[in-house]
Amino acid sequence: MAATLPVRIERHGSVAVVTIDHAPVNALSKGVRDGLAAAAAALAADPDVAAVVLSGGPGRFVAGADIREMNLPPDEPFVPDVIAAFEALDKPVVAAIDGAALGGGCELALGCDLRLASPKALVGLTETRLGIIPGAGGTQRLPRLVGIAEAIALVSEGRILKAPEALALGIVDEVVEGDLLAAAIARAPHAPKRRLSQLPVPAGDAAREEAAAAAALKGAKGVPAIAEAVRVVRASRAAAFADGMADERATFLRLRESDAAKALRHLFFAEREAGRVPGLDGAKARPFAQTAVIGAGTMGAGIAVSLADSGLAVTLVERDAEAADAGLARVRGLYERPVKSARLSQAEADRRLAAINATPDWQALAGADLVIEAAFEDMAVKQDIFRRLDQVAKPGAVLASNTSYLDLDAIAAATARPEDVVGLHFFAPANVMRLLEVVRGKASAPDALATALALAKRMGKQPVVAGNGDGFIGNRIYAAYRRHAEYLVEDGASPQEVDAALQAYGFAMGVFAVSDLSGLDIGYAMRKRRAATRDPAERYVAVADHLVEAGRLGRKSGAGWYAYDTAGAASADPAVAAMIAAARAEKKIAPRAFTPDQIQRRLLAVMANEGAKALEEGIALRASDIDLVFVNGYGFPRLKGGPMFAADAMGLGAVLREMEAAHAAGGAGSEPAPLLVELARAGRSFADWRG
Ligand code: NAD
C-alpha cells in the first residue's frame, strides 16, 4: 500500500483543492507543515490555478499544533511561515472548515482570504489553555478582524466558538448548510483577496479594551501566558504587522519552554491517557439513559443535578416521602444560583428539574439502567441497600457506589451480581467538580467499567480508574498529606503558616482551611472507628480531636482550626495555639521553625510517596492518573502539573531524602515507598515508570 501523503492537491477546473489528511485531527506536525509549504510553493508557480481551497477533509480542519512536538526544539518549516506563504499567494485562498479549527488551525484559517464553515465547525485560539500564546499570527490577525477587546477575550479564555458564534463575530464569513467543499470550490474564483495582515486594527473603544484586559487578567489565575496574550494582542494596534509577529513569536517560544507550559502539556496527555484502561479493549458501554440515585443528601443531590445537566433522566430514591421532598428541595437549591447569575435560563432549569423525580418508592428503581448509591458512609447501610437493589434492579443494570473509603468488593458481595458493581466516586460539589474516580472491583465486568467511562464523558467529567483500596487514589494520598501537615504543626509550624505555604505553592486553599470547610467531625468519626486497628507505632496528633471535643467543628460551628467572624472571615485563634502548645508540651516537643519552602517540599514528598505506594499496589495505573486526581479533585495547582510530575521536577533523589525525614517525623506508615527508593537510586522518574 502506498503511503498517503498528509497533504495533497486536486484540481477542479481552475481551482486547486489542498486537502490535509493526517488522522486523527490534522495536527500541524512536521509532515503536514512540509506538505503545506510544498503545496503553497507549487500553487504560487502554477499560472493555471486561479484560486485555492484549503480543506481538512470531511468533519475536520486542523485542530492545532502537534503538542508532542512541543517538547522538542522548533523544526522548520515553522507554522507562521507556512501561513504567510498561503496569504502571499496572488490568488484567493478559501478555508473550508468542517470541524475543529483550533490553535494553529485557526491561525491557518485566518491566513486565508475567506472562511466558509459547516455547522459542525469549531473555531478558537486555545493556546493559553496550554500555557502558551498563539505563535503563528493569531494575536495579530484576529484583532484586525474582530477588534482588540473581542480578541483579548477570545485569546485569554481560549474560547471555542461554534459556527453560529464564529459567524456572528465575523471570524467565519458564511456558514454553509449543504456541501461545504462544493460551495468553497464554487466561491473561490470570485473571492476577493483579503489579507488580514494588511488591514488596520479597527479603532476600538478604549474603555471596552481596558475592561476586557482587566477581566482577562482577573481570570488568569496566575497563568503567565494570559497576561502575555493580553499584552501582545494590545500591541497589535501600535506595531507594524511584522513587528507584532516578531514579538508574538518570541513570546510564544519563551513560554513554550516554561515550566508552566510543560506542566499543562503533561496534563493534556494525562487526560487522554486516563481513558486507556487495560482489559477493556472492545468492551462496549451498556445503555444508561435511565439513571437513579439512592440518597439525596449533599452528594446525591449534586450527582442528580449533574446527570440532569447531561440530559439524562434521574430517579432519586430516599428513605421516606419527607426525605424525598427535602432531597428535591436541595436539588432546586442547586439550580437557583446559576439561574440568578444568568448562566442558566429559568426555562432550562425547569426542564432539567422536570427530568428529576424524587420518591421513597424502591420500585421506581426497576427501570434504571444505572443506579448510583450515595447514602451514608456506613458499610451496613450500603450492604443493605445493595441487597435490596439486587431484588429490584433490572438484569444488566450497572450498580455503582459513591463511597469515599469503603471496600467496594464487600459492597458488591451483598448482591448476586458483583460483576455489575463499580465505584463512582464523585467530588463535592458533584455538579461542579470535574473529577470522577471510577473504582474497579475485583469482579467488575469490563462493560460495566466501560459504561462508567462513557457516563463520565457524557457528564463532561474527567474519569480516573482506581483499584479497590482504602480511600482509592485521592483520599488515600490526601490522608497522608493531612497527617503530615499536622506533624508539621505539632513540630512547630502554625496552621496559618502551613496553609500560607500551600497557597503560595498555588493551592486555592490550605489543608487546614479545607478541613474547616468540610467539617472536622467527619475525620473525627473516622478516627474513632479506626482507633482499634491503628498501628501504635504511627504518630498520632490529637489536636484535631481536641478541637472537635471543644465543639469546634469547622466553619459550620463558627470555629475550627481557625476562628470565623460573622462574615465568615478566618483568623488565627489563640485558643487553638494554646491547644497546639499543650500537645507539644505533653510530648516534650521543642517547637522549631519551618520555612514555606520546607513545608512545601515535605508535603509534596509525602504526596508523591503515597502515590508511589498506590502505584506499586496497582491502585493507580500510572503516575499521570494521580496527577489528574490531585489537580481536578483536590485543588493541586495545574501549573505544577500534579504531585508526581512536581516530584519528578524536584528530582526523586531529593524527594527520597525529604521522605526519609518525613519518616523520622511520622513513624510507621510513613516509610519511603520501595518504588520511590528504586527509581531514585536508578536516577529514574515516575514519568518513565510503566507498571
Ligand atoms: P448525606 O448525609 O448528606 O446524605 C446521605 C443521604 O442518604 C441522606 O439524605 C439520607 O437520608 C440518605 N439515605 C441514607 N440511607 C438511605 C437509604 N437506605 N435509602 C435511601 N436513602 C438513604 O451524605 P453525603 O455527604 O451526601 O455522602 C453520601 C456518600 O457520598 C457517602 O458514602 C460519602 O462517603 C460519599 N461522598 C461524600 C463526599 C462529601 O464531600 N460529602 C464526597 C465524596 C463522596
Side-chain angles (χ1 to χ4, degrees), residues 67 93 109 139 148 165 346 385 391 396 461 496 570 587 606 615:
I67 296 168
V93 183
T139 64
I148 289 201
E165 302 166 275
Q346 185 64 55
I385 288 175
Q391 309 301 312
K461 303 227 181 261
Q496 294 72 36
K587 293 189 187 168
V606 166
L615 286 173

Side-chain angles (χ1 to χ4, degrees), residues 88-103:
L89 290 176
D90 60 0
K91 27 208 148 202
V93 183
V94 177
I97 307 168
D98 194 26
L102 302 176

Side-chain angles (χ1 to χ4, degrees), residues 7 73 89 117 211 219 311 520 561:
V7 177
L89 290 176
L520 301 183
W561 287 101

Side-chain angles (χ1 to χ4, degrees), residues 608 612 615-616 621-623 643-657 673-691:
L615 286 173
E616 302 169 327
L621 287 169
R622 46 183 91 83
M644 307 308 272
F645 184 82
D648 277 350
M650 177 170 157
L652 295 190
V655 172
L656 176 58
R657 282 193 295 284
L675 176 63
L676 172 64
V677 175
E678 178 196 320
L679 292 176
R681 295 216 172 118
R684 292 177 60 206
S685 65
F686 289 123
D688 66 26
W689 178 79
R690 295 279 172 279

Side-chain angles (χ1 to χ4, degrees), residues 466-556:
N468 180 33
D470 193 21
F472 312 116
I473 298 174
N475 280 341
R476 169 199 185 130
I477 298 173
Y478 196 79
Y481 160 69
R482 199 177 54 199
R483 210 168 56 238
H484 276 270
E486 293 183 5
Y487 299 156
L488 288 171
V489 164
E490 208 175 46
D491 284 340
S494 70
Q496 294 72 36
E497 283 167 344
V498 173
D499 279 2
L502 290 167
Q503 280 189 294
Y505 186 73
F507 276 92
M509 282 172 91
V511 63
F512 294 104
V514 170
S515 292
D516 273 0
L517 188 62
S518 349
L520 301 183
D521 47 334
I522 300 174
Y524 182 80
M526 187 144 72
R527 287 192 296 276
K528 294 293 154 202
R529 258 200 318 270
R530 294 181 174 181
T533 53
R534 193 166 36 239
D535 183 344
E538 177 183 312
R539 177 172 174 189
Y540 189 81
V541 177
V543 178
D545 294 344
H546 297 156
L547 290 170
V548 172
E549 283 153 12
R552 306 177 68 111
L553 306 185
R555 273 188 183 271
K556 61 183 164 191

Side-chain angles (χ1 to χ4, degrees), residues 4 33 109-110 258 304 313 331 373 399 408 418 474 591 621 629 638 662 671:
T4 16
R33 298 197 306 276
L110 291 172
S258 67
V331 166
E373 169 276 318
L399 312 179
L408 185 72
L621 287 169
V629 166
R638 286 185 70 79
E671 298 79 5

